[in-house]
Amino acid sequence: MNTEQYNQCVEQYADRLFRFAFSSLRSREEAEDVVQESFARVWERRKTVDYAKAKSYLFTTAHHAMVDEVRHKQHFTDIESCSPDNLRSAPASCPDVNDILHKSLVTLPEMQRNALLLRDYEGYSYQEIGEITVMSEAQVKINIFRARTALKNKLKSIDNLIDIEP
């Protein structure tokens, strides 16, 4: 990959990569760090990365960077402070559906959440998601099905919506 192709990758994929990272991490700063780290890794390996596969390489790199970030945060997070009882407070009178959906997404296991975000938010095929997350196509389908089922169960009753309010 040459410099011009690298710049084209930045123009084409930076926003999508940021949305993917932000949807998973829910922190602007962490998402920006993931995007920057992903592009830095591509730049370092630009001579070996094929331009045609740069998109897949970027999202795979971002996925791994997010996994590392989550593991790093979990290492330093006090588990008691993250219990559901401590996260709940009085529900708002008119909750924002988008906020409720994102809070529900955070409760999903990481692989399910990432597969669902790549499929439903970014529009990747099952095969592309498998390449990015290093799962077989069948595993991708299973994770997406389980994520959708969990979200459906979480969101189908008003009581569940109230339980996840900030």
Side-chain angles (χ1 to χ4, degrees):
M1 174 185 316
N2 61 33
T3 305
E4 183 179 321
Q5 291 172 329
Y6 175 82
N7 290 335
Q8 288 175 350
C9 284
V10 172
E11 289 176 21
Q12 290 177 343
Y13 305 124
D15 290 340
R16 294 177 77 182
L17 205 59
F18 175 80
R19 283 194 312 267
F20 172 60
F22 183 76
S23 295
S24 185
L25 297 171
R26 302 301 298 157
S27 166
R28 183 175 189 80
E29 294 80 19
E30 291 173 358
E32 288 171 350
D33 288 346
V34 165
V35 172
Q36 185 175 1
E37 178 66 25
S38 299
F39 279 108
R41 289 183 188 174
V42 169
W43 180 254
E44 291 169 356
R45 294 170 182 83
R46 68 188 177 278
K47 292 179 181 169
T48 59
V49 174
D50 182 19
Y51 176 70
K53 296 182 180 182
K55 176 181 168 185
S56 177
Y57 187 88
L58 279 167
F59 277 86
T60 301
T61 303
H63 170 74
H64 291 297
M66 288 187 304
V67 169
D68 292 344
E69 182 66 30
V70 168
R71 286 182 182 153
H72 180 73
K73 277 195 313 190
Q74 286 176 347
H75 182 71
F76 292 105
T77 302
D78 180 20
I79 293 177
E80 259 185 6
S81 67
C82 292
S83 71
D85 294 333
N86 292 339
L87 295 176
R88 293 184 190 142
S89 63
S93 59
C94 186
D96 181 20
V97 175
N98 199 28
D99 286 342
I100 292 169
L101 180 60
H102 284 294
K103 289 175 184 169
S104 297
L105 278 170
V106 172
T107 65
L108 295 174
E110 183 178 341
M111 292 306 283
Q112 290 179 13
R113 180 177 61 243
N114 288 339
L116 183 71
L117 289 172
L118 287 168
R119 179 71 178 171
D120 292 343
Y121 280 80
E122 298 298 329
Y124 285 100
S125 69
Y126 294 120
Q127 181 182 2
E128 290 173 319
I129 296 168
E131 291 172 6
I132 291 169
T133 60
V134 193
M135 289 190 282
S136 70
E137 198 170 319
Q139 289 172 315
V140 170
K141 289 178 181 180
I142 289 168
N143 278 307
I144 291 172
F145 173 79
R146 289 178 180 167
R148 288 177 178 160
T149 302
L151 285 177
K152 183 176 99 176
N153 291 336
K154 186 78 169 169
L155 300 175
K156 73 179 177 183
S157 90
I158 193 69
D159 295 334
N160 289 338
L161 293 177
I162 291 171
D163 284 345
I164 60 173
E165 280 303 298

